[in-house]
Amino acid sequence: MTGPALHLAVEIDGDGAHPAAWRRAAHSPDQLLTPRRVAQVAAIAENAGFTLITLDDGVLPPGASLDPVGRIGAVERAAFVAASTSTVGIAPVVPVTYAEPFHVSSQLASLDHISAGRTGWLVTEEERPEAARAWGRPLIADAAARARESRDGVEVARALWDSWEDEAVIRSVATSRYLDRERLHYIDFTGETYAVKGPSIVPRPPQGQLVVLGRPDRVPAAQLDVALVEGRDLASVATAAAAAGTPRVFAEVDVALDTPEATAAERVADLERHAAWSDRGRLRHIGPADQLVALLGELSRHVDGVRLHPLVLDEDLPILSRLVLPALSKRRLVTRALPGTSLRSTLGLERPANRFAAASAAAQEDAR
């Protein structure tokens, strides 16, 4: 735990956590994928004081119902949001079950440069068999094999982010030198299914290492900065948080709030007529804003942050902005990110030393 401040993240993919959320959205379905919509939701979250927004993704369309579905790649949306925001952290979901870690590393490093150090990476898996066909890759059906791909993918990405030392870029017009080749390094990774030599094609990210988020049962805790833990009640969340073994822990919470037009229960019942709100094993709050404030206060005793999954973004995000975050701020349970602050700094995480620079310095010291 970092102290009393609770960091709040919110998932802003689609129209909300419920598969039929589009039926209660304030816009027509054809507006979902427009730049204006993406920027509007991100701006609301930033102005409300959220520490982080996350953007779900996958190679397949979300959901399996007849409801209208679709999404633009999370990295592309994150790059657009990064240019239109100034303080909120941005963490796209990027699975490495089939994607090439070298390219994922380059994309995320570029995103960190665009956002001036506000980028995170939420590591997930591609579990559906259709994903392998979409990628044109052999199916990885075994859970252990998918976990291996995530583990190796994160290891490769982290090594590639260090393959350029901080002082590698020179940009000297007088000498016509752009970089110091001695400060670029091969990572020489060899895993069970592939090898990567490197170095990266993108200079080291502003944060040194991006903030990596994921489930500790899918990605080794040693590779994570933030563990996302689940549990249907406070006791389960507290137990999972205590066992996470990561620098920071965020709880996953589904949220449906009372609005001036309808109670949370009425809103859920309305959407349940069309599709079921899948139980993912998360803590779930369905009710008034003040009770959510109390719940988050209880969670602050066990976790460093909470990632909220609103039932319907257009209905729940305004209530979170007007009633929940101000109440938490009044109780000094949350703090706002400051302009010019990296996501690592906001979360109280140190900027890591470059592994190759540190090894070189240690070798020089031993030679003395």
Side-chain angles (χ1 to χ4, degrees):
M1 294 289 293
T2 61
L6 188 71
H7 299 287
L8 291 184
V10 60
E11 171 58 53
I12 65 169
D13 182 63
D15 279 316
H18 197 285
W22 67 274
R23 295 178 180 273
R24 298 187 64 93
H27 62 87
S28 58
D30 64 332
Q31 297 298 306
L32 174 62
L33 303 181
T34 62
R36 181 178 180 182
R37 165 69 181 176
V38 175
Q40 179 186 49
V41 175
I44 293 172
E46 180 174 61
N47 292 336
F50 280 96
T51 297
L52 179 69
I53 58 175
T54 61
L55 295 155
D56 200 4
D57 203 3
V59 70
L60 301 174
S65 67
L66 298 178
D67 293 321
V69 294
R71 61 161 58 112
I72 296 172
V75 172
E76 289 77 9
R77 283 180 288 160
F80 179 77
V81 168
S84 61
T85 56
S86 59
T87 60
V88 70
I90 308 159
V93 165
V94 187
V96 283
T97 308
Y98 301 107
E100 295 286 351
F102 185 92
H103 300 312
V104 170
S105 168
S106 300
Q107 289 176 324
L108 292 170
S110 299
L111 185 57
D112 202 44
H113 284 284
I114 294 170
S115 68
R118 292 183 287 124
T119 300
W121 174 22
L122 208 167
V123 185
T124 61
E125 299 176 355
E126 296 274 18
E127 297 183 1
R128 293 165 60 185
E130 297 87 350
R133 293 199 294 271
W135 276 100
R137 301 284 298 275
L139 174 64
I140 302 177
D142 181 68
R146 290 197 301 270
R148 176 201 63 213
E149 295 300 314
S150 294
R151 178 199 68 213
D152 288 354
V154 174
E155 182 176 344
V156 167
R158 285 194 177 278
L160 286 168
W161 293 333
D162 275 349
S163 64
W164 289 54
E165 294 184 30
D166 291 320
E167 297 80 15
V169 178
I170 300 173
R171 294 193 180 97
S172 173
V173 176
T175 61
S176 299
R177 296 180 68 202
Y178 173 75
L179 57 85
D180 182 351
R181 291 179 58 186
E182 298 301 318
R183 297 183 184 274
L184 267 62
H185 304 275
Y186 294 115
I187 68 169
D188 293 325
F189 172 84
T190 302
E192 296 180 37
T193 57
Y194 59 82
V196 178
K197 191 172 185 65
S200 174
I201 57 174
V202 180
R204 195 176 193 222
Q207 296 183 96
Q209 293 278 318
L210 275 67
V211 176
V212 180
L213 306 90
R215 290 177 49 175
D217 60 336
R218 303 289 181 86
V219 182
Q223 293 182 325
L224 295 175
D225 297 296
V226 179
L228 300 176
V229 299
E230 299 174 341
R232 291 185 175 88
D233 52 49
L234 276 170
S236 300
V237 171
T239 299
T246 53
R248 301 290 177 265
V249 180
F250 278 34
E252 301 271 40
V253 180
D254 288 332
V255 174
L257 296 170
D258 291 351
T259 69
E261 291 76 26
T263 67
E266 290 170 342
R267 294 172 53 229
V268 172
D270 177 51
L271 294 178
E272 291 291 283
R273 295 186 296 112
H274 306 285
W277 192 8
S278 300
D279 182 357
R280 299 177 181 272
R282 299 170 181 156
L283 196 61
R284 180 171 289 184
H285 172 79
I286 301 175
D290 59 345
Q291 291 183 11
L292 176 60
V293 171
L295 173 62
L296 294 176
E298 288 292 322
L299 283 169
S300 69
R301 299 165 52 192
H302 307 288
V303 298
D304 303 286
V306 173
R307 183 165 73 128
L308 301 176
H309 299 262
L311 181 79
V312 180
L313 281 170
D314 286 345
E315 294 182 323
D316 293 289
L317 194 52
I319 304 298
L320 289 167
S321 302
R322 291 199 307 265
L323 300 179
V324 176
L325 273 82
L328 291 169
S329 181
K330 186 176 181 179
R331 295 173 58 179
R332 298 186 178 182
L333 286 176
V334 294
T335 57
R336 284 179 172 269
L338 300 175
T341 304
S342 72
L343 180 57
R344 295 192 72 88
S345 295
T346 299
L347 295 176
L349 299 169
E350 293 184 359
R351 186 180 190 273
N354 184 291
R355 69 186 70 185
F356 297 104
S360 177
Q364 292 177 8
E365 185 66 27
D366 291 341
R368 292 178 182 176

